[in-house]
Amino acid sequence: MPKKKLKNISEIRRYFHTNEDPIYFVSATNFNLLGIDEWVKNFKYICYMDCFDGRHPNVLVPSEVPHDEFQSIEDINNYLLQHKEVVDFVRQRGGKPKFVFLMFNEKTEALVKELGGEIWFPKSALRERCDNKIETVRIGDEAGVPSVPNALHEVKSYAHLQKICKDAGLGNDLVLQSAFGDSGHTTFFIKSEADFQKHEHDIVGEGEIKIMKRIDCRGSAIEACATSQGTIVGPLMTELVGFRELTPYRGGWCGNEILATSFPSKARQQARELTFKFGEQLRKVGYRGYFELDFLIDKKTGVLWLGELNPRITGASSMTNHAAFAHADAPLFLFHLLEFSKKPFSLDVEKINARWSDPDMIDSWSQMVIKHTDDSVDMVTEAPQSGIYTMLDNGKVVFDRFDYHRRAVETENEAFFLRILNTGDYRYEGADLGILVTRGRSMTKAFELNDRAKAWIDGIKSAFTARPLPAAQASGEPAFKMM
């Protein structure tokens, strides 16, 4: 007897509210999919960091056991999947376990198989291929989604770079990106030979490099889900990039805003159309499920250029999945789970996309990822707990109450803080202190941090205390970000 198809949002919501198979999000923290457990029965988080001090009912943080130094989020996930407490937890809960991750690799796939589970994401090999910034340009070209004027070449020297740019008409003011890596670590601004020499070891011998003409632009982000019925597209968000108060990395992502008027309506609509095209091309190469695109919007012309693809959930996912349209219909990530559930469904994607493009379906929020920005290393002796904070009339930030719901924030004088760095952790330049979520904007119309955002940042940072370490004890910065 054929399975009954799900035909509307109500049926999809009910399907997940009555879900029987355990689903696990395994990652350093539960930040990326915060709140999904309240939409999906039997959804649990398995995390390395205890952001909620044991007070979140659906988060398991196993006790620390000896392990090799982590070099990536994949290492963290593989450690967790082999941890006896995790293995026992998964097996005791039974069922046919499903796993979702921020990042995973072939070893992760093997470990999940040993647990009798399956990963509800495309294979890691396909994700890695799509994640390659060089491949992103090519997928975009096939889809009719143009990237910033660029050349894709191996670079042998500065003289060779100059020749490539002359032949391609890119000029001398350049942005170079290697195939993989975070924007703050593998994006290089090159205007002179001295600039090139500073980053030469990250460019020469690294294979094809994306060489772009530098443009004066705004960063933006948009998330979507490629399903069998078509690509469902979320709203265009602003990006906070390179603010010294938040990150020491030039060009490094440090937050987002979601609001109905983030950009002119023409830009918002164009971003949605280009994202849909890109999603349809991803479907052709075999990719399905959640993904995010960065668009660069030229300040002078308003032209949109494809920046990069993240074939996964991202740091912006909690914004997308908590927006007003998500509460009115369903979080975008539910469509990802639906796609992998093998449950037949039939949806009018065009109607969903039209509804989600309505400004009335988008409320105003911002999130800031707060890093330690000083060039110092110390050990945290006191860290603020996760929960709701209040800004007093004099600008002082104080803890109000514990909560793990972002929606508990009622006014712009309140914020939800999710702590990352805890007591006993090393605090080094670039270390993630936590994520602050507020109603309203954190930037001005000119896309600079506003005074309220700066006051929130200062208030949260001042809640951390630390003791200096002798140089011999200083711990180096990890080569990866946590979200």
Side-chain angles (χ1 to χ4, degrees):
M1 184 176 177
K3 293 181 180 179
K4 182 183 176 182
K5 278 189 178 182
L6 303 178
K7 295 182 178 179
N8 56 52
I9 298 294
S10 176
E11 290 182 357
I12 290 170
R13 288 164 62 132
R14 185 176 68 247
Y15 173 71
F16 284 109
H17 277 300
T18 58
N19 170 64
E20 291 301 324
D21 283 337
I23 304 175
Y24 302 97
F25 174 51
V26 183
S27 197
T29 77
N30 71 332
F31 163 67
N32 305 84
L33 293 181
L34 195 66
I36 294 296
D37 56 316
E38 297 180 13
W39 290 86
V40 182
K41 184 184 175 187
N42 287 315
F43 191 99
K44 302 289 184 182
Y45 305 98
I46 298 174
C47 302
Y48 177 68
M49 297 177 178
D50 190 358
C51 302
F52 300 100
D53 302 313
R55 300 166 78 180
H56 193 300
N58 289 319
V59 172
L60 170 69
V61 179
S63 55
E64 185 95 8
V65 296
H67 57 79
D68 293 335
E69 184 177 349
F70 298 136
Q71 300 296 324
S72 64
I73 294 177
E74 292 93 329
D75 285 350
I76 293 175
N77 293 340
N78 294 340
Y79 157 83
L80 290 169
L81 290 172
Q82 296 174 88
H83 196 295
K84 185 179 184 305
E85 292 173 26
V86 172
V87 172
D88 290 346
F89 178 69
V90 171
R91 288 183 173 157
Q92 285 166 8
R93 295 189 71 228
K96 299 176 181 177
K98 322 300 180 188
F99 292 84
V100 292
F101 302 92
L102 174 62
M103 304 290 285
F104 63 93
N105 55 24
E106 290 181 358
K107 182 177 180 180
T108 318
E109 292 173 333
L111 290 169
V112 166
K113 190 174 181 180
E114 286 178 20
L115 284 170
E118 59 182 85
I119 296 177
W120 276 7
F121 261 104
K123 295 287 187 184
S124 63
L126 176 58
R127 291 215 318 172
E128 184 172 343
R129 181 164 76 88
C130 293
D131 198 22
N132 183 319
K133 291 180 175 63
I134 310 303
E135 184 66 17
T136 297
V137 172
R138 293 177 175 136
I139 293 172
D141 289 344
E142 287 288 330
V145 181
S147 297
V148 175
N150 67 87
L152 308 176
H153 272 279
E154 289 191 38
V155 177
K156 299 176 182 177
S157 64
Y158 183 66
H160 184 220
L161 175 66
Q162 285 183 304
K163 182 179 186 306
I164 292 167
C165 293
K166 183 178 179 181
D167 292 344
L170 299 178
N172 296 311
D173 195 357
L174 308 167
V175 180
L176 272 62
Q177 284 187 321
S178 50
F180 297 101
D182 303 331
S183 60
H185 297 270
T186 55
T187 299
F188 313 109
F189 299 89
I190 308 295
K191 203 172 183 178
S192 65
E193 187 168 7
D195 293 337
F196 181 85
Q197 289 173 346
K198 190 162 57 174
H199 302 293
E200 187 170 4
H201 64 286
D202 292 311
I203 297 169
V204 176
E206 291 300 311
E208 274 189 305
I209 298 290
K210 182 180 177 183
I211 306 161
M212 295 175 283
K213 177 181 181 180
R214 189 172 179 184
I215 61 171
D216 189 14
C217 61
R218 304 281 188 215
S220 66
I222 190 166
E223 296 191 312
C225 184
T227 78
S228 61
Q229 305 293 300
T231 302
I232 301 172
V233 182
L236 186 66
M237 293 176 272
T238 69
E239 282 195 324
L240 280 66
V241 177
F243 290 123
R244 183 64 197 180
E245 295 88 342
L246 292 169
T247 178
Y249 306 120
R250 182 184 181 187
W253 168 81
C254 50
N256 297 88
E257 297 174 317
I258 185 168
L259 65 156
T261 56
S262 54
F263 296 100
S265 58
K266 182 180 177 182
R268 297 197 306 271
Q269 186 56 34
Q270 186 182 5
R272 295 183 62 84
E273 291 170 358
L274 292 176
T275 302
F276 181 84
K277 284 184 176 182
F278 197 97
E280 296 303 285
Q281 185 62 33
L282 282 177
R283 291 173 61 199
K284 291 178 182 178
V285 302
Y287 184 92
R288 58 194 175 119
Y290 211 96
F291 68 95
E292 182 263 351
L293 295 179
D294 290 347
F295 283 107
L296 305 175
I297 304 177
D298 193 295
K299 291 181 185 178
K300 291 182 181 178
T301 64
V303 172
L304 267 69
W305 302 103
L306 174 63
E308 64 180 57
L309 161 70
N310 288 300
R312 56 182 163 270
I313 55 174
T314 71
S317 298
S318 64
M319 298 289 279
T320 299
N321 289 296
H322 279 88
F325 67 81
H327 289 286
D329 284 342
L332 182 64
F333 193 71
L334 250 64
F335 295 99
H336 173 95
L337 295 179
L338 181 63
E339 179 67 19
F340 284 86
S341 70
K342 300 185 177 67
K343 177 70 175 176
F345 65 98
S346 177
L347 292 174
D348 190 331
V349 168
E350 188 175 345
K351 279 189 177 179
I352 293 173
N353 283 336
R355 189 161 63 247
W356 285 16
S357 69
D358 185 343
D360 289 340
M361 294 289 273
I362 302 171
D363 49 351
S364 180
W365 290 84
S366 69
Q367 67 176 16
M368 294 179 284
V369 179
I370 305 174
K371 295 180 183 292
H372 182 60
T373 54
D374 295 340
D375 184 12
S376 62
V377 180
D378 49 29
M379 180 174 283
V380 176
T381 55
E382 189 175 348
Q385 63 177 298
S386 296
I388 306 300
Y389 286 74
T390 299
M391 184 181 291
L392 305 179
D393 291 341
N394 62 4
K396 184 179 180 182
V397 173
V398 297
F399 177 76
D400 185 77
R401 63 196 184 276
F402 173 77
D403 210 310
Y404 51 85
H405 295 103
R406 190 191 87 166
R407 65 174 180 268
V409 176
E410 296 181 352
T411 71
E412 292 192 13
N413 288 329
E414 287 187 333
F416 170 70
F417 179 66
L418 185 138
R419 185 200 64 230
I420 301 294
L421 210 65
N422 204 354
T423 304
D425 291 338
Y426 289 112
R427 188 175 64 169
Y428 49 84
E429 186 180 28
D432 291 308
L433 302 180
I435 302 105
L436 189 77
V437 182
T438 68
R439 289 185 180 272
R441 296 204 67 176
S442 54
M443 292 191 290
T444 66
K445 289 182 179 180
F447 286 75
E448 298 293 334
L449 280 181
N450 61 34
D451 291 340
R452 185 176 70 97
K454 291 178 182 178
W456 275 114
I457 296 165
D458 290 343
I460 291 297
K461 283 188 172 182
S462 66
F464 285 85
T465 58
R467 63 176 174 84
L469 292 174
Q473 288 185 337
S475 174
E477 165 198 349
F480 63 97
K481 62 181 182 180
M482 291 291 187
M483 62 207 69

